[in-house]
């Protein structure tokens, strides 16, 4: 199989888990930078970044994003993609605060959903406000689609000119409360994407591996990492974020799909 080089994103920590769930979860800026470095060495081009405060709780504090970004960049050339989603319940003003650091990419969630027991709230007004902040920062948006209705919102915004290219789309599948993580639903979302749109899949939990394989065969890109899944296989915690990246790299090679370097990823994403 050929196709364009595969862009691998690694979501190294997220906002939902703690060291109780996985003792190796990176939470301090040093741990995050080390884990990001290992993931980039293994083949990741993008690091999806959440950070934690001194107590390990999710935070959108600009100083912590700054420290983590500096430490990542000291170790590895990669695209650092800031989360503007934060944790469920984080107010919008806090979610956008780190954009003042002008990251290369930032996420834009396209609607509200039940997120497990919580509500991840994204009103249309806040989506558009966050979008403007991302553009104002000169960052490339990664549109996060957690359900089919969010794809329709994206298409409606595009039609109205409220949102314009370039952007990347990440299909987050298997969140409890969002779209399920199976091939039938992946094909549906892929079918709805704008023509020529770059896209990736984040499969949550046990969906991570099958959806990654399916995305690769369909010409999409892949996100892995502890934010989405901590098990390498059933009952076995992954050793590291890099271990997930290494598996994707091995499979991509078997499919004759090149792994995108950081510069190739930059070019591919910015020119869509
Ligand atoms: N933590 C989730 C509630 C993003 O990073 O933009 C939202 C999230 C999305 O992780
Ligand atoms: Zn995230």
């Amino acid at each position: 199989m050929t196709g364009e080089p595969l862009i691998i994103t690694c979501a190294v920590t997220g906002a939902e888990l703690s060291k109780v769930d996985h003792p190796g979860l990176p939470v301090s800026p040093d741990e995050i930078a080390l884990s990001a470095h290992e993931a980039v060495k293994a083949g990741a081009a993008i690091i999806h970044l959440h950070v934690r405060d001194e107590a390990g709780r999710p935070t959108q504090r600009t100083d912590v994003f700054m420290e983590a970004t500096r430490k990542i960049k000291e170790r590895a050339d990669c695209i650092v993609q800031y989360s503007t989603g934060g944790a469920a319940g984080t107010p919008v003003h806090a979610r956008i605060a780190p954009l003042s650091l002008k990251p290369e990419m930032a996420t834009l969630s396209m609607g509200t959903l039940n997120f497990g027991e919580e509500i991840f709230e994204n009103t249309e007004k806040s989506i558009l406000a966050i979008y403007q902040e991302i553009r104002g920062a000169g960052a490339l948006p990664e549109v996060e689609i957690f359900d089919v209705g969010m794809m329709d919102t994206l298409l409606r915004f595009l039609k109205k000119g409220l949102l314009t290219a370039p952007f990347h789309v990440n299909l987050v599948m298997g969140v409890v409360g969002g779209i399920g993580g199976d091939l039938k639903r992946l094909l549906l979302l892929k079918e709805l994407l704008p023509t020529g749109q770059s896209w990736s899949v984040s499969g949550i939990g046990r969906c991570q591996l099958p959806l990654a394989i399916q995305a690769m065969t369909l010409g999409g890109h892949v996100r892995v990492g502890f934010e989405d899944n901590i098990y390498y296989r059933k009952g076995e915690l992954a050793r590291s974020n890099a271990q997930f990246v290494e598996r994707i790299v091995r499979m991509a090679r078997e499919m004759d799909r090149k792994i995108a370097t950081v510069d190739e990823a930059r070019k591919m994403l910015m020119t869509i």
Side-chain angles (χ1 to χ4, degrees), residues 21-23 205-207 209 229-239 243-244 247:
D21 303 294
H22 191 314
R206 69 175 78 105
C207 310
L209 181 60
N229 174 35
I230 53 176
Y231 289 97
Y232 191 72
R233 57 174 65 87
K234 193 169 182 214
E236 181 185 321
L237 286 175
R239 279 196 310 276
Q243 194 188 9
F244 286 123
R247 176 161 64 183

Side-chain angles (χ1 to χ4, degrees), residues 251-266:
M251 289 189 304
R253 291 213 170 112
E254 288 298 321
M255 293 175 179
D256 279 342
R257 184 129 178 229
K258 244 184 105 255
I259 305 300
T261 63
V262 178
D263 281 337
E264 283 169 341
R266 282 194 177 106

Side-chain angles (χ1 to χ4, degrees), residues 16 48 50 83 85-86 88 107 115 120 227:
E16 278 69 43
H48 171 72
H50 289 255
S83 167
T107 58
F115 198 90
F120 182 35
E227 174 165 348

Side-chain angles (χ1 to χ4, degrees), residues 14-16 48-50 81-89 95 107-109 115 118 120 142 144 146 172 223 227:
E16 278 69 43
H48 171 72
L49 186 65
H50 289 255
Q81 176 195 82
Y82 283 10
S83 167
T84 70
R95 287 165 54 180
T107 58
L108 178 69
S109 291
F115 198 90
E118 302 181 284
F120 182 35
E142 175 176 282
E144 308 293 318
F146 292 81
V172 188
R223 176 173 119 174
E227 174 165 348

Side-chain angles (χ1 to χ4, degrees), residues 8 36-44 241-243 245-246 249 253 259:
I8 302 175
H37 183 213
E38 289 170 356
V40 172
K41 264 195 310 188
N241 277 297
Q243 194 188 9
V245 177
E246 286 159 5
V249 168
R253 291 213 170 112
I259 305 300

